[in-house]
Amino acid sequence: MRILGIDPGVATVGFGVIEAQAGRQQMIQYGAITTPAGQPLAARLVQIAQDMETLITQFQPDEMSIEELFFSKNITTGIAVGVILYTAERLHLPVYEYTPMQIKQAVVGYGLADKHQVMDMTRRLLKLRSIPRPDDAADALAIAMCHARSATSLLRRKDPDVKETV
């Protein structure tokens, strides 16, 4: 299964593409969509939508995973998440959302792990020479790995904390 992991934002949207099979994950590509700070929000959202469509078309993921956002904390990022979810829905890509604690638990084995622990375990589990940069890309790979582990679980459909947004 090919999974596109997304760490949402307006200035930077991290992405990570992995191939997951038989309990193993392999990194395919990672990076970030960036939008210029001086641009109007609407223009930035259009760019995010276009770049997301390009990613989905280029890598043909089977599913997408994204960090669940608490809209009350950052409404602008919430709007960007809406654009990302809309683009995935328009392209018929199933989307799964995970909380930061679920991601940390899946990657590190401890839901209160710090950011550096998650990034280092992502590097180790994907057998990478260094931690992916920018940090948003490393986070996106961790989100994809979280979904890979969840997607193979028999409990996946029964866990009320795993939200399928499709």
Side-chain angles (χ1 to χ4, degrees), residues 13-158:
V13 176
F15 71 88
V17 182
I18 66 168
E19 192 73 41
Q21 189 173 19
R24 294 176 186 237
Q25 294 105 36
Q26 178 182 354
M27 190 275 298
I28 304 296
Q29 185 65 271
Y30 64 84
I33 296 168
T34 57
T35 62
Q39 269 190 336
L41 178 61
R44 294 171 95 176
L45 296 174
V46 167
Q47 181 182 340
I48 290 168
Q50 290 171 339
D51 289 352
M52 283 299 303
E53 185 168 346
T54 299
L55 281 174
I56 293 167
T57 303
Q58 179 180 351
F59 292 105
Q60 295 291 303
D62 299 300
E63 297 177 342
M64 183 171 94
S65 57
I66 188 167
E67 183 175 339
E68 185 178 304
L69 187 68
F70 299 104
F71 288 93
S72 62
K73 286 189 176 181
N74 189 338
I75 192 69
T76 306
T77 300
I79 294 168
V81 169
V83 168
I84 293 166
L85 296 176
Y86 166 79
T87 304
E89 177 67 20
R90 194 170 53 77
L91 297 173
H92 309 288
L93 181 61
V95 178
Y96 297 85
E97 295 182 61
Y98 297 93
T99 65
M101 187 173 279
Q102 288 171 312
I103 296 162
K104 292 172 183 180
Q105 180 68 39
V107 175
V108 179
Y110 177 57
L112 299 176
D114 67 35
K115 187 172 185 71
H116 182 62
Q117 288 173 305
V118 176
M119 291 177 12
D120 189 54
M121 280 303 290
T122 298
R123 178 192 64 79
R124 289 171 185 238
L125 293 169
L126 291 175
K127 298 177 174 69
L128 304 174
R129 289 184 179 157
S130 60
I131 293 172
R133 297 286 181 221
D135 290 356
D136 306 273
D139 292 344
L141 285 169
I143 294 163
M145 291 171 58
C146 173
H147 182 63
R149 291 175 177 217
S150 174
T152 58
S153 170
L154 295 175
L155 300 175
R156 172 182 171 188
R157 303 264 182 232
K158 297 175 185 169

